């Protein structure tokens, strides 16, 4: 077992910021199109964190042209250039699947930095 843990620890990235469900993040993801490579930014709210070692993932949801788009990113993927935390959300749950049903202003998440909490 120690050999497996040693291999997993080699792949863990230490440059990932701390974020949690409810936070709004920008994920800079490297896209390969044929021989060309570009960076695509995916900005949205974190719905879920699945913790673990190298198999940990996080789910980000955004609304694009009125359609909700969710994407699951592996936490320690070499294709992730960087992750920026835009705002910290104030939520009371660890899984925010209820946001899928909400539309418009109802789907907003309160910010931790608001004065009138």
């Amino acid at each position: 077992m120690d050999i497996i843990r040693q291999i997993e620890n080699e792949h863990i990235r230490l440059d990932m910021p701390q974020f949690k469900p409810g936070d709004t993040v920008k994920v800079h993801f490297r896209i390969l199109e044929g021989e060309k490579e570009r960076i695509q930014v995916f900005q949205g709210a974190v719905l879920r964190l699945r913790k673990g070692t190298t198999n940990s993932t996080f789910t980000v949801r955004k609304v694009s042209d009125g359609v909700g788009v969710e994407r699951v990113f592996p936490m320690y993927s070499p294709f992730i250039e960087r992750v920026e935390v835009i705002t910290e959300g104030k939520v009371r749950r660890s899984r925010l699947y209820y946001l899928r049903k909400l539309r418009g202003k109802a789907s907003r998440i309160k910010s931790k930095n608001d004065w009138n909490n």
Side-chain angles (χ1 to χ4, degrees):
M1 285 299 255
D2 293 337
I3 296 171
I4 293 173
R5 282 205 181 109
Q6 182 181 2
I7 292 171
E8 286 179 345
N9 287 337
E10 292 174 3
H11 294 286
I12 290 180
R13 296 173 55 173
L14 300 174
D15 62 341
M16 294 294 284
Q18 293 290 324
F19 57 89
K20 57 195 173 311
D23 293 354
T24 303
V25 295
K26 271 187 185 178
V27 182
H28 297 261
F29 201 72
R30 198 174 306 129
I31 303 286
L32 297 173
E33 295 174 336
E35 296 180 9
K36 294 182 181 178
E37 181 178 312
R38 66 183 176 89
I39 294 176
Q40 182 174 354
V41 179
F42 193 90
Q43 179 176 342
V46 177
L47 290 187
R48 173 187 184 196
L49 279 177
R50 183 171 167 262
K51 296 187 178 182
T53 51
T54 54
N55 62 343
S56 60
T57 60
F58 60 99
T59 304
V60 181
R61 177 182 174 84
K62 74 173 183 177
V63 177
S64 178
D65 293 328
V67 178
V69 179
E70 291 183 14
R71 187 155 181 194
V72 179
F73 294 99
M75 184 74 78
Y76 302 115
S77 171
F79 288 104
I80 293 180
E81 191 70 29
R82 69 180 190 269
V83 177
E84 297 177 35
V85 178
I86 305 299
T87 60
E88 293 184 9
K90 182 179 178 185
V91 294
R92 297 174 67 175
R93 302 181 185 278
S94 62
R95 306 280 193 259
L96 304 180
Y97 297 140
Y98 66 90
L99 291 177
R100 294 172 177 165
K101 299 176 190 168
L102 302 178
R103 300 286 176 253
K105 287 185 177 181
S107 66
R108 288 183 298 185
I109 299 173
K110 282 190 177 182
S111 176
K112 264 193 175 179
N113 302 334
D114 285 344
W115 293 102
N116 301 327
N117 294 8

